[in-house]
């Protein structure tokens, strides 16, 4: 396991008091190269936000059955596009979750584990749960007549948000213990997102869908508890400054 150590980190200004003093003096003496303020920057962001289009749209139903449901037979009085969009969002996140756990498994194989940390079997089990959740949401969308291969606006947003988590997991210099932070963020978001999706399914009268999603929510609660335990174990080991590496045999 790669350890966090003291080293020749020169990114801080305190590493060179003389140069830092000159740097501060220069910054105070020389005005910015261009005029502007935080308010000006905010004004530009507001202008772009008002002038831009939307990030995407929900495609129309791909079947006659879906057309009938969208017309109000099944989800009367509510916008069917909203439910389809949030299903697409969950689909994208579960796909990212599968890839995230694959990356963590590879990091475990490369470095070995640590006392109280995840085993390969545990990581594989969670990865498989995420894959099953992905398939379950696919089926739910198909029952509504929606196309699960379409990228909905919610899927675009969550895909961009989760890309940073995957970047952490695949970065070679970030060790296994540090990479678990990305799992914690993912599982916290996953738990809340399933709860909101269940509430939305109930509001749309999709009781069968909500029942299936409650099972996924229970899985995610277990995942979150495990990730918290692994991170607590790693912090305790690091605080005691004890070697934490134990060999892990790749399956």
């Amino acid at each position: 396991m790669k350890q966090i150590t003291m080293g020749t980190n020169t990114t801080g200004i305190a590493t060179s008091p003389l140069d830092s003093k000159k740097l501060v003096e220069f910054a105070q003496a020389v005005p910015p190269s261009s005029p502007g303020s935080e308010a000006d920057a905010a004004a530009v962001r507001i202008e772009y936000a008002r002038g831009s289009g939307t990030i995407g749209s929900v495609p129309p139903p791909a079947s006659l059955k879906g057309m009938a449901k969208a017309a109000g037979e099944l989800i009367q009085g509510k916008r069917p596009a909203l439910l389809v969009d949030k299903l697409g969002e969950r689909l994208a996140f579960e796909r990212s979750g599968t890839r995230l756990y694959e990356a963590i498994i590879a990091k475990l194989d490369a470095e070995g584990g640590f006392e109280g940390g995840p085993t390969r079997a545990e990581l594989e089990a969670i990865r498989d749960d995420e894959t099953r959740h992905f398939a379950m949401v696919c089926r739910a969308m198909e029952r509504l007549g929606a196309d699960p291969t379409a990228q909905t606006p919610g899927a675009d947003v969550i895909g961009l948000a989760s890309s940073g988590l995957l970047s952490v997991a695949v970065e070679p210099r970030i060790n296994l213990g540090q990479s678990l932070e990305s799992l914690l963020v993912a599982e916290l978001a996953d738990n809340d997102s399933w709860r909101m999706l269940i509430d939305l399914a109930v509001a749309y009268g999709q009781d069968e869908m909500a029942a299936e999603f409650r099972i996924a929510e229970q899985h995610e609660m277990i995942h979150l508890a495990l990730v918290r335990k692994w991170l607590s174990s790693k912090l305790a080991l690091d605080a005691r400054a004890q070697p934490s590496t134990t060999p892990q045999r790749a399956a």
Side-chain angles (χ1 to χ4, degrees), residues 149-205:
T149 67
Q151 189 83 345
T152 71
D156 274 326
V157 171
I158 206 66
L160 182 59
S162 59
S163 63
L165 300 179
L166 192 56
S167 295
V168 169
V170 300
E171 168 57 55
R173 295 169 298 177
I174 296 177
N175 68 31
L176 174 62
Q178 293 166 321
S179 296
L180 293 179
E181 298 285 354
S182 65
L183 292 187
L184 179 61
V185 174
E187 294 298 351
L188 285 167
D190 226 2
N191 272 260
D192 280 2
S193 295
W194 278 110
R195 168 45 46 197
M196 289 187 285
L197 189 58
I198 290 166
D199 291 342
L200 189 62
V202 170
Y204 274 81

Side-chain angles (χ1 to χ4, degrees), residues 88-227:
E89 176 185 299
R90 193 89 318 262
L91 196 67
F93 198 81
E94 296 305 306
R95 180 172 58 242
S96 295
T98 301
R99 293 169 178 167
L100 182 60
Y101 275 93
E102 286 284 4
I104 299 296
I105 289 169
K107 198 154 284 186
L108 176 69
D109 288 345
E111 298 180 18
F114 56 88
E115 181 186 346
T119 65
R120 200 176 201 279
E122 287 174 321
L123 292 172
E124 287 176 340
I126 298 178
R127 176 204 59 194
D128 293 345
D129 279 346
E130 304 293 349
T131 304
R132 282 188 289 270
H133 296 166
F134 174 86
M136 179 178 62
V137 177
C138 276
R139 292 191 298 271
M141 294 184 75
E142 289 169 346
R143 288 200 301 269
L144 291 177
D147 181 0
T149 67
Q151 189 83 345
T152 71
D156 274 326
V157 171
I158 206 66
L160 182 59
S162 59
S163 63
L165 300 179
L166 192 56
S167 295
V168 169
V170 300
E171 168 57 55
R173 295 169 298 177
I174 296 177
N175 68 31
L176 174 62
Q178 293 166 321
S179 296
L180 293 179
E181 298 285 354
S182 65
L183 292 187
L184 179 61
V185 174
E187 294 298 351
L188 285 167
D190 226 2
N191 272 260
D192 280 2
S193 295
W194 278 110
R195 168 45 46 197
M196 289 187 285
L197 189 58
I198 290 166
D199 291 342
L200 189 62
V202 170
Y204 274 81
Q206 298 294 309
D207 295 335
E208 180 183 353
M209 186 186 296
E212 291 178 340
F213 292 170
R214 287 190 185 97
I215 296 173
E217 183 190 28
Q218 291 170 5
H219 293 162
E220 298 300 344
M221 291 172 65
I222 296 171
H223 300 172
L224 179 57
L226 283 170
V227 173

Side-chain angles (χ1 to χ4, degrees), residues 15-28:
T15 57
S16 182
L18 293 178
D19 289 334
S20 63
K21 183 174 181 293
K22 293 178 182 178
L23 182 63
V24 171
E25 290 173 349
F26 182 82
Q28 292 172 339

